[in-house]
Amino acid sequence: MSPGIPRKITLATTSLAGCFGCHMSLLDIDLVLLDLVDHVEILRSPLTDIKTFNRQVDVGLIEGGVCNDENLHVLREFRKNCNILVSVGECAIMGGLPALRNDVPLQECLSEAYLNGPTVSNPQHVIPHDPHLPKILDRIYPCHELVKVDVFLPGCPPPAKAFFELIASVLEGKNFQLSRAATRFD
Ligand code: SF4
């Protein structure tokens, strides 16, 4: 990032069906974070514990795919409130590990988890159905199947360099293109 950039951008982040590893990678920018503090304001995010949007945000980072109706609500909220929506990591882009259940009917998954699994102890033989619980969808959906996604950051997780390049390109008003170094995982 060029020194002396006057602009400040706003950022929002969330984790849907993710493991927070992508958020950890974002924080792994290390000392560059100190440079970014002057240029980036993080609003709605688990990093700030701000849970609502109170204004339009420049960049929304989505970790994780969509596994329940609450995830879907949050994803739509991010799409509506973020100028640039970013699918971060393989779970958001392809469903990731949770998508292993996509070949198994939902009822079968629930029965295995709550009734028939080898470690299950459920004397009442009830699958949780409290109306306050998010409703599980028939399968895991990658984010771009449900809303328009503007940028994809591949990796599990994407390297810290990828986040930095994205933020720097938005600050500098350039079209974003990941460098080769940020898409190598060896
Ligand atoms: S892409 Fe990898 S690090 Fe990111 S949420 Fe999924 S499993 Fe975790």
Side-chain angles (χ1 to χ4, degrees):
M1 183 171 41
S2 313
I5 290 178
R7 204 169 162 235
K8 188 159 190 166
I9 61 168
T10 48
L11 205 69
T13 80
T14 191
S15 181
L16 305 177
C19 74
F20 274 91
C22 290
H23 275 80
M24 290 299 108
S25 189
L26 169 63
L27 296 178
D28 206 25
I29 290 178
D30 290 335
L31 290 179
V32 179
L33 264 180
L34 299 178
D35 290 341
L36 291 178
V37 162
D38 290 336
H39 298 291
V40 176
E41 183 180 2
I42 301 178
L43 300 175
R44 187 202 194 288
S45 169
L47 301 173
T48 57
D49 208 24
I50 298 173
K51 296 180 171 57
T52 55
F53 285 99
N54 59 8
R55 60 179 149 127
Q56 193 73 8
V57 166
D58 291 307
V59 181
L61 303 177
I62 306 283
E63 170 192 294
V66 178
C67 79
N68 61 40
D69 59 353
E70 185 184 41
N71 290 164
L72 180 57
H73 172 76
V74 171
L75 179 64
R76 285 177 172 156
E77 192 193 13
F78 265 68
R79 177 63 280 178
K80 190 171 152 206
N81 289 280
C82 301
N83 296 337
I84 301 172
L85 192 68
V86 185
S87 263
V88 176
E90 295 311 318
C91 293
I93 296 171
M94 298 172 65
L97 202 58
L100 284 176
R101 81 161 166 92
N102 282 1
D103 288 333
V104 182
L106 176 59
Q107 204 52 41
E108 209 176 303
C109 289
L110 292 172
S111 296
E112 183 69 12
Y114 291 107
L115 305 177
N116 306 323
T119 58
V120 171
S121 171
N122 183 357
Q124 291 169 327
H125 216 63
V126 170
I127 294 176
H129 58 277
D130 189 296
H132 292 102
L133 291 173
K135 189 166 171 294
I136 296 179
L137 302 181
D138 60 332
R139 66 181 178 91
I140 305 288
Y141 290 83
C143 296
H144 65 274
E145 287 190 15
L146 301 170
V147 299
K148 178 178 176 290
V149 169
D150 304 301
V151 175
F152 297 86
L153 285 191
C156 178
K161 186 171 175 48
F163 290 98
F164 175 71
E165 289 181 5
L166 171 70
I167 292 168
S169 73
V170 176
L171 278 168
E172 294 175 355
K174 293 180 179 167
N175 283 336
F176 174 61
Q177 179 137 28
L178 264 183
S179 71
R180 187 166 163 69
T183 52
R184 286 182 56 134
F185 304 104
D186 54 356

